[in-house]
Amino acid sequence: MVFFVQTHYLWHVKHYINVILPIPLEKSFTYAITNAEAEFLKPGMRVSVPFGKSKIYTALVIEIHTIAPLVYEAKDIHQILDDTPIMTPIQLEHWSWISKYYMCTLGEVMRAALPNAFILESETVISRKSDVEINDQDLEDDEFIVFEALHHQSSLKIQDLMAILDKKNVLPVIKRLLEKKVISVKEEIYEKYKPKLVRYVKLNSSYSSENELQQLLDDLSRAPKQRDVLMTLFSISAKTKAPVKVSELSAVSNASASVVKALIDKNILEEYHIQTDRIQYLGDVKEASKHLNKHQTCALDEITKSFEKQNITLFHGVTSSGKTEVYVKLIEEQLKRKQQVLYLLPEIALTTQLVERLQNYFGEQVVVYHSKYSSNERVEVWNNVLQNSPQAQVILGARSAVLLPFHKLGLVIVDEEHESSFKQFDPAPRYHARDTAIVLASMFKCKTVLGSATPSLESYYNAMQGKYGLVELNQRYNNVLMPEIELVDVKDKHKRKQMQGHFSDRLIEEMNETLKNGGQVILFQNRRGFSPIVECNSCGHSPQCPNCDVSLTFHQYRNQLRCHYCGYNVVLPKTCEACGSVEVDAKGLGTEQVEQEVKGLFPQYHVVRMDLDTTRGKHGYEKIITALEQGEIDILVGTQMLTKGLDFRNVKLVGVMNADNLLNFPDFRAHERSYQLMAQVSGRAGRTDERGKVLIQTYNPYHRILQQVSTNDYKQMYKEQLDDRHVYKYPPLFRMVRLTFKHKDYQKVNVGAEWYAKSLRMVFGQHVLGPEFPPVARIRNQYLKHILIKIPPGQSLVKTKEAIRKINTSFLSVKAYRSIRVVINVDN
Ligand code: ADP
Ligand code: ZN
Ligand code: ZN
């Protein structure tokens, strides 16, 4: 993308802009602008533009030029929405890289990057025709109500109509009124971002003189409450010498809102509003950063040294070695140089714990970009980052924070870089935030640190190849020993009748011991999706989702069967729907069942479950974490959610209920992921002076991965896994692009995918795998089929993607295939 700096204009030529629209269009779109507009507009500003028959979109200007489009007549823009650009040139360059690399459109990147509130959308507005002559008798009741309402208000929105008519479906009324030519309908754009206004009060200026004030206070002697409020106002403003908020005033004076309102109504107080940021840091004193121990100091030195030669450094530090404290030093240095720092974390590791820790050091300079924030809050963060304001020097966020409008980026930190949630799956752009951050850093010519206790094979491989620097930190802080890991052979325990439900005698023993000594226990059960299912003991039938090709999952708490793909749910049937038998039982193990069993085994202790179901609310997750920190929970049962970055002093024992369903997951990364997950959960045990203990229950204690986890042997794991990847031609040695075909019609998916695969084979030969049905081959009534393209080392990525794109275009030009959805996922 080119940025035009336009210094002068030729007044007789016509001007155009190229814009990105927030929809999946391959090319940018061109609109006509006036000369005056051309002088005002800059790349990165928003305009509203007409599109199609009646749509209005928010578009982003990327180029201003004088070349008329060849194949269509450029329409005029509607209006200019910004005074200054809302994004930066580097950002546009970065978006363009994302769209090329991940094979999606710029519009899709724009959708993902811009807070919703920036993308204004058109809304239907109904108004009354001015010249209309109609008899009341010609209108039905509901039509008449709308017609009447339009007397009082010149235009109405759909929302208003719903309120007036007190029903949801108002379209039929609109349609009838249109037919009777009473109203006209038009699309209008509305601004979504609403700055937060805070109410302030001050004394009305007519009381500014001594005399008038005295008079006022005398008058108010018969209204003592109001007088009180007034006196409080004086004392607050004397103390703070700053504007006084209404909320503050009523809090300090202990008066109800109505008292303040009475003063405002009497014109004694004057009300006014100030726009404020929604996200404010409320803490005060900053803490000095920690003094690093000698291992950490050494790591910090090595990172700094490695930066002299490398742009990217992998920081491999065992759990609880104090990686965060090392980051803090690196951040301090950037702040001294007045540079911004991007600190990326997986969503679930973005905890209040960490935010508070960083805010203790850097105060209000830390800003958080979070998916749980409202759209308006996101706009504020966006603007602060764009303006390089003092409140946006350290930007802490998950995946999408990489898309913010950085101004002076000095350092990128990607913590827990191995986490798979850095990769976005749906919708496009299907980008990997770690890799995208590395590219961003290179555009700013700044450095990147990738941190992890269990690096991804990709990053470790890059380090081994000399592409990245590598710094290791093998000591836990305070020389706490790595936890002792014991593998429990569940098959053997079953044979010896030493199991109670899903608990081995060893696990129960250790739990008793820990709990007796006042320690806390974490029990880890793999994510809720794979179990438990319900099975009939007579015929083996297990209830299926009618929309997806998958067994329904049993949720005891609601006594329901639910589909985790589409949300379908039914009450648990009392008898088998296939054979009528009453012996239907839950098989497999979910967090709920573990919770039940624990409560039975340890009735005197407080057990809490943490998974997607129990953490749904805005602060659901935090509440559980705080309760654990404060010792209100003895045993926490949870999914992967509890593997991340949590630092609990008092957790002495971690139990992995069932390692096998992790290891057996059908994915080429399953073993790597199992290692990472188990090493990370284990890392939650014994983070202080005492050595922690981990028990892993498994049917297969001799599995290589379990051996490597129990001896904390990352390098051995890496070596073996890399060999496998070599043999089976997987990343990091080969790259991959996965295509997914989706359609309601089974036959169509088959034929279409087959055609596509054949075309791909003509170019890539044996490196095309499939088409194949995935393990869950039907989701929400759509059949799915995958094709995998492996890209051998040395084969040009750019050319490969070009070839795929060409085939894709031919595919979509076949009429019969046009309705098939093709999803392209690069580096999946
Ligand atoms: P990691 O991110 O590597 O898992 P953390 O940075 O969370 O490790 O450190 C683990 C614990 O040790 C934290 O509670 C942290 O405050 C403490 N810690 C680490 N380094 C120091 C230090 N140099 N001085 C004081 N406390 C430290
Ligand atoms: Zn049955
Ligand atoms: Zn379903």
Side-chain angles (χ1 to χ4, degrees), residues 536-584:
C536 168
N537 283 341
S538 311
C539 76
H541 171 81
S542 87
Q544 303 286 305
C545 173
N547 314 314
C548 313
D549 223 357
V550 68
S551 297
L552 294 169
T553 307
F554 178 47
H555 283 233
Q556 185 151 24
Y557 163 68
R558 298 196 190 94
N559 199 37
Q560 261 183 356
L561 295 176
R562 295 186 72 88
C563 171
H564 285 177
Y565 289 88
C566 74
Y568 171 86
N569 58 76
V570 282
V571 175
L572 178 73
K574 293 214 165 47
T575 54
C576 168
E577 50 189 1
C579 75
S581 159
V582 289
E583 284 190 51
V584 278

Coordinates of all heavy atoms in Angstrom, one line a residue, residues 536-584:
C536 N -26.2 -46.1 26.6 CA -27.2 -47.1 27.1 C -26.4 -48.4 27.4 O -25.6 -48.9 26.5 CB -28.2 -47.4 26.0 SG -29.2 -48.8 26.4
N537 N -26.6 -48.9 28.6 CA -25.9 -50.1 28.9 C -26.4 -51.4 28.2 O -25.7 -52.4 28.1 CB -25.9 -50.4 30.5 CG -25.0 -49.4 31.2 OD1 -24.1 -48.9 30.6 ND2 -25.2 -49.3 32.5
S538 N -27.6 -51.3 27.7 CA -28.1 -52.5 27.0 C -27.7 -52.5 25.5 O -27.2 -53.5 25.0 CB -29.6 -52.5 27.0 OG -30.1 -52.3 28.3
C539 N -27.9 -51.4 24.8 CA -27.6 -51.4 23.4 C -26.5 -50.5 22.9 O -26.1 -50.5 21.8 CB -28.9 -51.0 22.6 SG -29.2 -49.2 22.6
G540 N -25.9 -49.7 23.8 CA -24.7 -48.9 23.5 C -25.1 -47.6 22.8 O -24.2 -46.9 22.5
H541 N -26.4 -47.4 22.6 CA -26.7 -46.1 21.9 C -26.4 -44.9 22.8 O -26.6 -44.9 24.0 CB -28.2 -46.1 21.6 CG -28.8 -44.8 21.1 ND1 -28.6 -44.4 19.8 CD2 -29.4 -43.8 21.8 CE1 -29.2 -43.2 19.7 NE2 -29.6 -42.8 20.9
S542 N -25.8 -43.9 22.2 CA -25.7 -42.6 22.9 C -26.3 -41.5 22.1 O -26.1 -41.4 20.9 CB -24.2 -42.4 23.2 OG -23.6 -41.7 22.2
P543 N -27.1 -40.7 22.8 CA -27.9 -39.6 22.1 C -27.0 -38.7 21.4 O -26.0 -38.2 21.9 CB -28.6 -38.9 23.3 CG -28.6 -39.9 24.4 CD -27.3 -40.7 24.3
Q544 N -27.4 -38.4 20.1 CA -26.6 -37.5 19.2 C -27.3 -36.2 19.0 O -28.5 -36.0 19.2 CB -26.5 -38.2 17.8 CG -25.9 -39.6 17.8 CD -24.4 -39.5 18.1 OE1 -23.7 -38.9 17.3 NE2 -24.0 -40.2 19.1
C545 N -26.5 -35.2 18.7 CA -27.1 -33.9 18.4 C -27.7 -34.0 17.0 O -27.1 -34.5 16.1 CB -26.0 -32.8 18.3 SG -26.7 -31.2 17.7
P546 N -29.0 -33.5 16.9 CA -29.6 -33.6 15.6 C -29.0 -32.7 14.5 O -29.2 -32.9 13.3 CB -31.1 -33.2 15.9 CG -31.0 -32.4 17.1 CD -29.8 -32.9 17.9
N547 N -28.2 -31.7 14.9 CA -27.6 -30.8 13.9 C -26.1 -31.1 13.6 O -25.6 -30.6 12.6 CB -27.7 -29.3 14.4 CG -29.1 -29.0 15.0 OD1 -30.1 -29.3 14.3 ND2 -29.1 -28.4 16.1
C548 N -25.5 -31.7 14.6 CA -24.0 -31.9 14.4 C -23.7 -33.4 14.6 O -24.5 -34.1 15.2 CB -23.3 -31.1 15.5 SG -23.8 -29.4 15.6
D549 N -22.6 -33.8 14.0 CA -22.3 -35.2 14.1 C -21.5 -35.5 15.3 O -20.3 -35.9 15.3 CB -21.4 -35.5 12.9 CG -21.8 -36.8 12.2 OD1 -22.7 -37.5 12.8 OD2 -21.2 -37.2 11.2
V550 N -22.1 -35.4 16.5 CA -21.4 -35.5 17.7 C -22.3 -36.0 18.8 O -23.5 -35.7 18.8 CB -20.7 -34.2 18.0 CG1 -21.7 -33.1 18.4 CG2 -19.7 -34.3 19.1
S551 N -21.8 -36.7 19.8 CA -22.6 -37.1 20.9 C -22.9 -35.9 21.8 O -22.1 -35.0 22.0 CB -21.9 -38.2 21.7 OG -21.7 -39.3 21.0
L552 N -24.1 -36.0 22.4 CA -24.4 -34.9 23.3 C -23.7 -35.1 24.6 O -23.4 -36.2 25.0 CB -25.9 -34.8 23.6 CG -26.7 -34.5 22.3 CD1 -28.2 -34.7 22.5 CD2 -26.5 -33.0 21.9
T553 N -23.4 -34.0 25.3 CA -22.7 -34.0 26.6 C -23.6 -33.9 27.7 O -24.5 -33.0 27.7 CB -21.6 -32.9 26.6 OG1 -20.9 -33.0 25.4 CG2 -20.7 -33.0 27.7
F554 N -23.4 -34.7 28.8 CA -24.3 -34.7 29.9 C -23.9 -33.5 30.9 O -22.7 -33.5 31.3 CB -24.2 -36.0 30.6 CG -25.1 -36.1 31.8 CD1 -26.4 -35.7 31.8 CD2 -24.5 -36.6 33.0 CE1 -27.2 -35.7 33.0 CE2 -25.3 -36.7 34.1 CZ -26.6 -36.3 34.1
H555 N -24.9 -32.7 31.2 CA -24.6 -31.7 32.2 C -25.5 -31.9 33.4 O -26.7 -31.7 33.4 CB -25.0 -30.3 31.7 CG -23.9 -29.8 30.7 ND1 -23.3 -28.5 30.9 CD2 -23.3 -30.3 29.7 CE1 -22.4 -28.3 30.0 NE2 -22.4 -29.4 29.2
Q556 N -24.9 -32.4 34.4 CA -25.6 -32.9 35.6 C -26.4 -31.8 36.3 O -27.5 -31.9 36.6 CB -24.6 -33.5 36.6 CG -25.3 -34.1 37.8 CD -24.4 -35.2 38.3 OE1 -23.2 -35.2 38.1 NE2 -25.0 -36.1 39.0
Y557 N -25.7 -30.6 36.4 CA -26.2 -29.5 37.1 C -27.6 -29.1 36.6 O -28.5 -28.8 37.3 CB -25.2 -28.4 37.0 CG -25.7 -27.0 37.3 CD1 -26.0 -26.7 38.6 CD2 -25.7 -26.0 36.3 CE1 -26.4 -25.4 38.9 CE2 -26.1 -24.8 36.5 CZ -26.4 -24.4 37.8 OH -26.8 -23.2 38.1
R558 N -27.8 -29.2 35.2 CA -29.1 -28.8 34.7 C -29.9 -30.0 34.3 O -31.0 -29.9 33.8 CB -28.9 -27.9 33.4 CG -28.2 -26.6 33.6 CD -28.5 -25.8 32.4 NE -27.7 -24.6 32.3 CZ -26.6 -24.5 31.6 NH1 -26.0 -25.5 31.0 NH2 -25.9 -23.3 31.6
N559 N -29.3 -31.2 34.6 CA -29.9 -32.5 34.1 C -30.3 -32.4 32.6 O -31.4 -32.7 32.2 CB -31.2 -32.8 34.9 CG -31.6 -34.2 34.8 OD1 -30.7 -35.1 34.8 ND2 -32.8 -34.5 34.8
Q560 N -29.3 -32.0 31.9 CA -29.5 -31.8 30.4 C -28.5 -32.5 29.6 O -27.4 -32.8 30.1 CB -29.3 -30.3 30.1 CG -30.5 -29.5 30.0 CD -30.2 -28.1 29.7 OE1 -29.0 -27.7 29.6 NE2 -31.2 -27.2 29.5
L561 N -28.8 -32.8 28.4 CA -27.8 -33.1 27.4 C -27.6 -31.9 26.5 O -28.6 -31.3 26.0 CB -28.3 -34.3 26.6 CG -28.5 -35.6 27.3 CD1 -29.1 -36.7 26.4 CD2 -27.2 -36.1 27.9
R562 N -26.4 -31.6 26.3 CA -26.1 -30.4 25.5 C -25.1 -30.7 24.4 O -24.2 -31.5 24.5 CB -25.5 -29.2 26.3 CG -26.4 -28.7 27.4 CD -25.8 -27.5 28.1 NE -25.8 -26.4 27.2 CZ -26.8 -25.5 27.1 NH1 -27.9 -25.7 27.9 NH2 -26.7 -24.5 26.3
C563 N -25.3 -29.9 23.2 CA -24.3 -30.0 22.2 C -23.3 -28.8 22.4 O -23.7 -27.7 22.4 CB -24.9 -29.9 20.8 SG -23.7 -29.8 19.5
H564 N -22.0 -29.1 22.4 CA -21.0 -28.1 22.6 C -20.7 -27.3 21.3 O -19.9 -26.4 21.4 CB -19.8 -28.6 23.3 CG -20.0 -28.9 24.7 ND1 -19.0 -29.5 25.5 CD2 -21.0 -28.7 25.5 CE1 -19.5 -29.6 26.7 NE2 -20.7 -29.1 26.8
Y565 N -21.2 -27.8 20.2 CA -21.0 -27.1 19.0 C -22.1 -26.1 18.6 O -21.8 -25.1 18.1 CB -20.8 -28.1 17.8 CG -19.5 -28.9 17.9 CD1 -19.4 -30.0 18.7 CD2 -18.3 -28.4 17.4 CE1 -18.2 -30.7 18.8 CE2 -17.1 -29.1 17.5 CZ -17.1 -30.2 18.2 OH -15.9 -30.9 18.3
C566 N -23.3 -26.5 18.9 CA -24.4 -25.6 18.4 C -25.3 -25.2 19.6 O -26.2 -24.4 19.4 CB -25.2 -26.3 17.3 SG -26.3 -27.6 17.9
G567 N -25.1 -25.7 20.8 CA -25.9 -25.3 21.9 C -27.2 -26.0 22.0 O -28.0 -25.8 23.0
Y568 N -27.5 -26.9 21.1 CA -28.8 -27.7 21.2 C -28.8 -28.4 22.6 O -27.8 -28.9 23.1 CB -28.8 -28.8 20.1 CG -29.9 -29.8 20.2 CD1 -31.1 -29.6 19.7 CD2 -29.7 -31.0 20.9 CE1 -32.2 -30.5 19.8 CE2 -30.7 -31.9 21.0 CZ -31.9 -31.7 20.5 OH -32.9 -32.6 20.6
N569 N -30.0 -28.4 23.2 CA -30.1 -29.1 24.5 C -31.5 -29.8 24.7 O -32.5 -29.3 24.2 CB -29.8 -28.2 25.6 CG -30.7 -27.0 25.7 OD1 -31.8 -27.1 26.1 ND2 -30.1 -25.9 25.2
V570 N -31.5 -30.9 25.4 CA -32.7 -31.6 25.8 C -32.6 -32.1 27.2 O -31.5 -32.2 27.8 CB -33.0 -32.8 24.9 CG1 -33.5 -32.5 23.6 CG2 -31.8 -33.7 24.8
V571 N -33.7 -32.3 27.9 CA -33.7 -32.9 29.2 C -33.2 -34.3 29.1 O -33.5 -35.0 28.1 CB -35.1 -32.9 29.8 CG1 -35.1 -33.6 31.2 CG2 -35.6 -31.5 30.0
L572 N -32.4 -34.8 30.1 CA -31.9 -36.1 30.0 C -33.1 -37.1 29.9 O -33.9 -37.1 30.8 CB -31.1 -36.4 31.3 CG -30.5 -37.8 31.4 CD1 -29.4 -38.0 30.4 CD2 -30.1 -38.1 32.8
P573 N -33.1 -38.0 28.9 CA -34.2 -38.9 28.8 C -34.1 -40.0 29.8 O -33.0 -40.4 30.2 CB -34.1 -39.5 27.4 CG -32.6 -39.2 26.9 CD -32.2 -38.0 27.7
K574 N -35.3 -40.4 30.3 CA -35.2 -41.5 31.4 C -35.0 -42.9 30.8 O -34.5 -43.7 31.5 CB -36.6 -41.5 32.1 CG -36.8 -40.2 32.9 CD -37.6 -40.5 34.2 CE -37.6 -39.3 35.1 NZ -37.8 -38.0 34.5
T575 N -35.3 -43.1 29.6 CA -35.1 -44.4 29.0 C -34.3 -44.2 27.7 O -34.3 -43.1 27.1 CB -36.4 -45.1 28.6 OG1 -37.2 -44.2 27.8 CG2 -37.2 -45.4 29.9
C576 N -33.7 -45.2 27.2 CA -32.9 -45.2 26.0 C -33.8 -44.9 24.8 O -34.8 -45.6 24.7 CB -32.1 -46.5 25.8 SG -31.4 -46.6 24.1
E577 N -33.6 -44.0 24.0 CA -34.5 -43.7 22.9 C -34.4 -44.7 21.8 O -35.3 -44.8 20.9 CB -34.2 -42.3 22.3 CG -32.8 -42.0 22.0 CD -32.5 -40.6 21.6 OE1 -33.4 -39.7 21.6 OE2 -31.3 -40.3 21.3
A578 N -33.4 -45.6 21.8 CA -33.2 -46.6 20.8 C -33.9 -47.9 21.3 O -34.7 -48.5 20.5 CB -31.8 -46.9 20.5
C579 N -33.7 -48.4 22.5 CA -34.2 -49.7 22.9 C -35.2 -49.6 24.1 O -35.7 -50.6 24.5 CB -33.0 -50.6 23.2 SG -32.3 -50.3 24.8
G580 N -35.3 -48.4 24.7 CA -36.3 -48.3 25.7 C -35.7 -48.7 27.1 O -36.4 -48.6 28.1
S581 N -34.5 -49.2 27.2 CA -33.9 -49.6 28.4 C -33.8 -48.4 29.4 O -33.6 -47.3 29.0 CB -32.6 -50.3 28.2 OG -31.8 -50.2 29.4
V582 N -33.9 -48.7 30.7 CA -33.8 -47.6 31.7 C -32.3 -47.5 32.1 O -32.0 -46.6 32.9 CB -34.6 -47.8 32.9 CG1 -36.1 -47.6 32.6 CG2 -34.4 -49.2 33.5
E583 N -31.4 -48.3 31.6 CA -30.0 -48.3 32.1 C -29.2 -47.3 31.2 O -28.3 -47.8 30.5 CB -29.4 -49.7 32.0 CG -29.9 -50.6 33.1 CD -29.1 -51.9 33.2 OE1 -27.8 -51.8 33.1 OE2 -29.7 -53.0 33.2
V584 N -29.5 -46.1 31.3 CA -28.7 -45.1 30.6 C -27.7 -44.4 31.6 O -28.2 -44.0 32.7 CB -29.5 -44.0 29.9 CG1 -30.0 -44.5 28.5 CG2 -30.7 -43.6 30.7

